[in-house]
Amino acid sequence: MQTYLEELKVYLNKLPQADIEDALSYYQEYLEDAGINTYPACIKELGTPVQLARRIRADIDVNDYKNGGISNEQSTWQYFSKIFIAMASVPVLLPLAGVLGAVVALLFAILVVTLLFTSCIIVLFIISFLGLMYWAITNLGLYFNLSIVAFGASLMLLGASMDLAYGLQKLTVNFTKWIRQFSTWMYGKTINKMNGGNK
Protein backbone atom coordinates (compact mmCIF):
# COMPACT_ATOMS: atom_id res chain seq x y z
CA MET A 1 0.00 0.00 0.00
CA GLN A 2 2.79 2.45 0.86
CA THR A 3 4.43 1.91 -2.53
CA TYR A 4 1.12 2.68 -4.20
CA LEU A 5 0.68 5.87 -2.17
CA GLU A 6 4.27 6.96 -2.84
CA GLU A 7 3.73 6.57 -6.58
CA LEU A 8 0.45 8.46 -6.30
CA LYS A 9 2.28 11.30 -4.54
CA VAL A 10 4.73 11.55 -7.46
CA TYR A 11 1.87 11.88 -9.97
CA LEU A 12 0.21 14.56 -7.83
CA ASN A 13 3.38 16.67 -7.54
CA LYS A 14 1.95 19.64 -9.48
CA LEU A 15 -0.91 20.11 -7.04
CA PRO A 16 -0.68 22.37 -3.99
CA GLN A 17 0.88 20.59 -1.00
CA ALA A 18 -2.35 20.80 1.01
CA ASP A 19 -4.30 19.01 -1.76
CA ILE A 20 -1.64 16.31 -2.00
CA GLU A 21 -1.71 15.69 1.73
CA ASP A 22 -5.52 15.61 1.78
CA ALA A 23 -5.65 13.11 -1.08
CA LEU A 24 -2.96 10.84 0.37
CA SER A 25 -4.55 10.92 3.82
CA TYR A 26 -7.98 10.16 2.38
CA TYR A 27 -6.85 7.22 0.26
CA GLN A 28 -4.61 5.79 2.97
CA GLU A 29 -7.57 5.77 5.34
CA TYR A 30 -9.80 4.38 2.60
CA LEU A 31 -7.41 1.50 1.86
CA GLU A 32 -6.85 0.76 5.55
CA ASP A 33 -10.60 0.69 6.26
CA ALA A 34 -11.10 -1.66 3.30
CA GLY A 35 -8.28 -3.92 4.52
CA ILE A 36 -6.33 -3.44 1.30
CA ASN A 37 -2.58 -3.49 1.84
CA THR A 38 -0.94 -4.93 -1.28
CA TYR A 39 0.00 -3.07 -4.43
CA PRO A 40 -2.07 -5.30 -6.78
CA ALA A 41 -5.10 -5.03 -4.48
CA CYS A 42 -4.76 -1.23 -4.50
CA ILE A 43 -4.71 -1.23 -8.31
CA LYS A 44 -7.74 -3.52 -8.43
CA GLU A 45 -9.66 -1.22 -6.10
CA LEU A 46 -8.56 2.23 -7.30
CA GLY A 47 -6.80 1.75 -10.64
CA THR A 48 -3.15 2.53 -11.24
CA PRO A 49 -1.59 5.47 -9.38
CA VAL A 50 -1.53 7.54 -12.58
CA GLN A 51 -5.23 6.84 -13.24
CA LEU A 52 -6.16 7.78 -9.68
CA ALA A 53 -4.03 10.93 -9.89
CA ARG A 54 -5.92 12.00 -13.03
CA ARG A 55 -9.23 11.51 -11.25
CA ILE A 56 -8.02 13.42 -8.18
CA ARG A 57 -6.92 16.38 -10.32
CA ALA A 58 -10.25 16.33 -12.15
CA ASP A 59 -12.11 16.10 -8.81
CA ILE A 60 -10.29 19.17 -7.51
CA ASP A 61 -11.09 21.15 -10.67
CA VAL A 62 -14.75 20.08 -10.59
CA ASN A 63 -15.08 21.01 -6.91
CA ASP A 64 -13.40 24.37 -7.56
CA TYR A 65 -15.76 25.00 -10.47
CA LYS A 66 -18.85 24.07 -8.45
CA ASN A 67 -17.72 26.35 -5.62
CA GLY A 68 -17.04 29.21 -8.02
CA GLY A 69 -13.32 29.11 -7.36
CA ILE A 70 -12.09 28.05 -10.79
CA SER A 71 -9.45 30.50 -11.91
CA ASN A 72 -9.48 32.34 -15.21
CA GLU A 73 -5.93 31.09 -15.76
CA GLN A 74 -7.32 27.65 -16.54
CA SER A 75 -9.09 27.70 -19.87
CA THR A 76 -12.25 25.79 -20.61
CA TRP A 77 -10.25 23.45 -22.84
CA GLN A 78 -7.77 22.66 -20.06
CA TYR A 79 -10.70 21.97 -17.74
CA PHE A 80 -12.43 19.78 -20.33
CA SER A 81 -9.21 17.89 -21.18
CA LYS A 82 -8.58 17.03 -17.51
CA ILE A 83 -12.09 15.61 -17.18
CA PHE A 84 -11.83 13.78 -20.51
CA ILE A 85 -8.46 12.23 -19.56
CA ALA A 86 -9.76 11.24 -16.12
CA MET A 87 -12.74 9.46 -17.71
CA ALA A 88 -10.66 7.90 -20.48
CA SER A 89 -8.23 6.48 -17.89
CA VAL A 90 -10.98 4.18 -16.59
CA PRO A 91 -11.47 1.41 -19.18
CA VAL A 92 -15.16 0.93 -18.42
CA LEU A 93 -15.77 4.66 -18.98
CA LEU A 94 -13.82 4.90 -22.23
CA PRO A 95 -16.99 4.75 -24.40
CA LEU A 96 -18.56 7.56 -22.34
CA ALA A 97 -15.38 9.60 -22.64
CA GLY A 98 -15.68 9.06 -26.40
CA VAL A 99 -19.29 10.29 -26.31
CA LEU A 100 -18.24 13.35 -24.31
CA GLY A 101 -15.43 14.08 -26.76
CA ALA A 102 -17.70 13.56 -29.79
CA VAL A 103 -20.46 15.82 -28.44
CA VAL A 104 -18.00 18.60 -27.59
CA ALA A 105 -16.25 18.24 -30.98
CA LEU A 106 -19.60 18.43 -32.81
CA LEU A 107 -20.69 21.49 -30.86
CA PHE A 108 -17.30 23.11 -31.40
CA ALA A 109 -17.60 22.49 -35.17
CA ILE A 110 -21.08 24.07 -35.15
CA LEU A 111 -19.71 27.03 -33.20
CA VAL A 112 -16.83 27.51 -35.66
CA VAL A 113 -19.19 27.36 -38.68
CA THR A 114 -21.53 29.84 -36.97
CA LEU A 115 -18.63 32.17 -36.14
CA LEU A 116 -17.29 32.03 -39.72
CA PHE A 117 -20.72 32.56 -41.30
CA THR A 118 -21.60 35.43 -38.98
CA SER A 119 -18.16 37.00 -39.42
CA CYS A 120 -18.68 36.98 -43.20
CA ILE A 121 -22.04 38.72 -42.74
CA ILE A 122 -20.42 41.32 -40.45
CA VAL A 123 -17.71 42.00 -43.04
CA LEU A 124 -20.37 42.29 -45.78
CA PHE A 125 -22.37 44.73 -43.63
CA ILE A 126 -19.27 46.86 -42.92
CA ILE A 127 -18.29 46.96 -46.60
CA SER A 128 -21.88 47.90 -47.48
CA PHE A 129 -21.85 50.58 -44.76
CA LEU A 130 -18.65 52.09 -46.17
CA GLY A 131 -19.95 51.91 -49.76
CA LEU A 132 -23.30 53.52 -48.94
CA MET A 133 -21.66 56.16 -46.76
CA TYR A 134 -19.24 57.03 -49.57
CA TRP A 135 -22.06 57.19 -52.12
CA ALA A 136 -24.22 59.33 -49.81
CA ILE A 137 -21.41 61.82 -49.19
CA THR A 138 -20.26 62.09 -52.81
CA ASN A 139 -23.82 62.41 -54.21
CA LEU A 140 -25.32 64.63 -51.52
CA GLY A 141 -25.61 67.62 -53.88
CA LEU A 142 -27.05 65.66 -56.83
CA TYR A 143 -29.40 63.24 -55.10
CA PHE A 144 -30.14 64.78 -51.73
CA ASN A 145 -33.12 62.57 -50.82
CA LEU A 146 -31.44 59.36 -51.96
CA SER A 147 -28.25 60.36 -50.14
CA ILE A 148 -30.18 60.75 -46.87
CA VAL A 149 -31.78 57.32 -47.39
CA ALA A 150 -28.36 55.79 -48.17
CA PHE A 151 -26.90 57.48 -45.11
CA GLY A 152 -29.68 56.03 -42.90
CA ALA A 153 -29.30 52.59 -44.44
CA SER A 154 -25.55 52.67 -43.87
CA LEU A 155 -26.06 53.51 -40.20
CA MET A 156 -28.55 50.62 -39.92
CA LEU A 157 -25.97 48.26 -41.41
CA LEU A 158 -23.34 49.52 -38.97
CA GLY A 159 -25.72 48.95 -36.05
CA ALA A 160 -26.60 45.47 -37.31
CA SER A 161 -22.92 44.54 -37.63
CA MET A 162 -22.28 45.75 -34.06
CA ASP A 163 -25.25 43.70 -32.80
CA LEU A 164 -23.96 40.62 -34.60
CA ALA A 165 -20.47 41.11 -33.17
CA TYR A 166 -21.92 41.40 -29.66
CA GLY A 167 -24.03 38.29 -30.28
CA LEU A 168 -20.93 36.35 -31.38
CA GLN A 169 -19.09 37.39 -28.24
CA LYS A 170 -22.03 36.29 -26.04
CA LEU A 171 -22.35 33.02 -27.95
CA THR A 172 -18.66 32.23 -27.42
CA VAL A 173 -18.81 33.01 -23.69
CA ASN A 174 -21.98 30.94 -23.25
CA PHE A 175 -20.49 28.08 -25.26
CA THR A 176 -17.44 27.85 -22.99
CA LYS A 177 -19.69 27.97 -19.90
CA TRP A 178 -21.84 25.21 -21.33
CA ILE A 179 -18.79 23.04 -22.06
CA ARG A 180 -17.72 23.36 -18.42
CA GLN A 181 -21.24 22.59 -17.18
CA PHE A 182 -21.71 19.62 -19.51
CA SER A 183 -18.25 18.20 -18.68
CA THR A 184 -18.93 18.62 -14.96
CA TRP A 185 -22.33 16.95 -15.27
CA MET A 186 -20.93 14.03 -17.29
CA TYR A 187 -18.08 13.60 -14.82
CA GLY A 188 -20.48 13.60 -11.88
CA LYS A 189 -22.69 10.99 -13.53
CA THR A 190 -19.79 8.64 -14.28
CA ILE A 191 -16.66 8.68 -12.13
CA ASN A 192 -18.18 9.95 -8.92
CA LYS A 193 -21.05 7.48 -9.18
CA MET A 194 -18.61 4.68 -10.03
CA ASN A 195 -16.58 5.56 -6.92
CA GLY A 196 -19.69 5.76 -4.78
CA GLY A 197 -19.29 9.51 -4.41
CA ASN A 198 -15.82 9.23 -2.92
CA LYS A 199 -13.42 12.15 -3.11
Side-chain angles (χ1 to χ4, degrees), residues 7-8 14 26 47 59 61 63 88-89 102 122 128 133 150 154 157 160 163 174 177 191 196:
E7 285 187 26
L8 178 61
K14 292 184 180 177
Y26 174 85
D59 281 343
D61 284 347
N63 289 334
S89 69
I122 290 171
S128 299
M133 187 65 75
S154 68
L157 287 170
D163 283 344
N174 288 333
K177 284 182 184 175
I191 284 190

Side-chain angles (χ1 to χ4, degrees), residues 118-179:
T118 310
S119 296
C120 289
I121 291 175
I122 290 171
V123 169
L124 179 64
F125 281 4
I126 290 172
I127 291 170
S128 299
F129 159 75
L130 294 172
L132 282 171
M133 187 65 75
Y134 176 78
W135 188 90
I137 291 170
T138 56
N139 292 291
L140 189 59
L142 295 174
Y143 307 103
F144 180 77
N145 290 341
L146 284 177
S147 294
I148 296 300
V149 170
F151 183 71
S154 68
L155 291 178
M156 287 177 61
L157 287 170
L158 180 62
S161 64
M162 291 171 70
D163 283 344
L164 283 173
Y166 177 75
L168 278 183
Q169 187 261 341
K170 292 294 286 181
L171 175 66
T172 305
V173 168
N174 288 333
F175 177 78
T176 57
K177 284 182 184 175
W178 188 86
I179 292 298

Side-chain angles (χ1 to χ4, degrees), residues 11-196:
Y11 292 118
L12 295 176
N13 66 349
K14 292 184 180 177
L15 291 178
Q17 190 60 35
D19 289 337
I20 294 173
E21 288 171 6
D22 286 348
L24 292 174
S25 174
Y26 174 85
Y27 282 105
Q28 180 169 357
E29 186 178 328
Y30 175 88
L31 293 169
E32 286 171 354
D33 289 348
I36 298 170
N37 53 18
T38 66
Y39 189 87
C42 291
I43 290 178
K44 185 176 180 183
E45 179 69 17
L46 299 172
T48 66
V50 69
Q51 290 172 333
L52 181 57
R54 288 173 182 159
R55 294 197 301 273
I56 290 169
R57 286 194 298 268
D59 281 343
I60 290 169
D61 284 347
V62 167
N63 289 334
D64 284 348
Y65 175 70
K66 286 181 178 178
N67 296 328
I70 201 86
S71 71
N72 290 331
E73 295 170 10
Q74 179 173 231
S75 74
T76 296
W77 302 113
Q78 288 173 319
Y79 180 80
F80 165 74
S81 65
K82 284 184 182 179
I83 288 178
F84 179 79
I85 289 168
M87 290 176 63
S89 69
V90 180
V92 73
L93 296 180
L94 195 55
L96 289 174
V99 169
L100 174 63
V103 168
V104 170
L106 175 64
L107 291 173
F108 183 71
I110 292 170
L111 176 69
V112 168
V113 169
T114 303
L115 289 174
L116 289 173
F117 180 73
T118 310
S119 296
C120 289
I121 291 175
I122 290 171
V123 169
L124 179 64
F125 281 4
I126 290 172
I127 291 170
S128 299
F129 159 75
L130 294 172
L132 282 171
M133 187 65 75
Y134 176 78
W135 188 90
I137 291 170
T138 56
N139 292 291
L140 189 59
L142 295 174
Y143 307 103
F144 180 77
N145 290 341
L146 284 177
S147 294
I148 296 300
V149 170
F151 183 71
S154 68
L155 291 178
M156 287 177 61
L157 287 170
L158 180 62
S161 64
M162 291 171 70
D163 283 344
L164 283 173
Y166 177 75
L168 278 183
Q169 187 261 341
K170 292 294 286 181
L171 175 66
T172 305
V173 168
N174 288 333
F175 177 78
T176 57
K177 284 182 184 175
W178 188 86
I179 292 298
R180 284 183 189 246
Q181 290 169 352
F182 181 67
S183 302
T184 302
W185 176 81
M186 186 74 111
Y187 185 80
K189 292 292 180 187
T190 55
I191 284 190
N192 286 339
K193 293 291 184 274
M194 183 192 76
N195 291 340

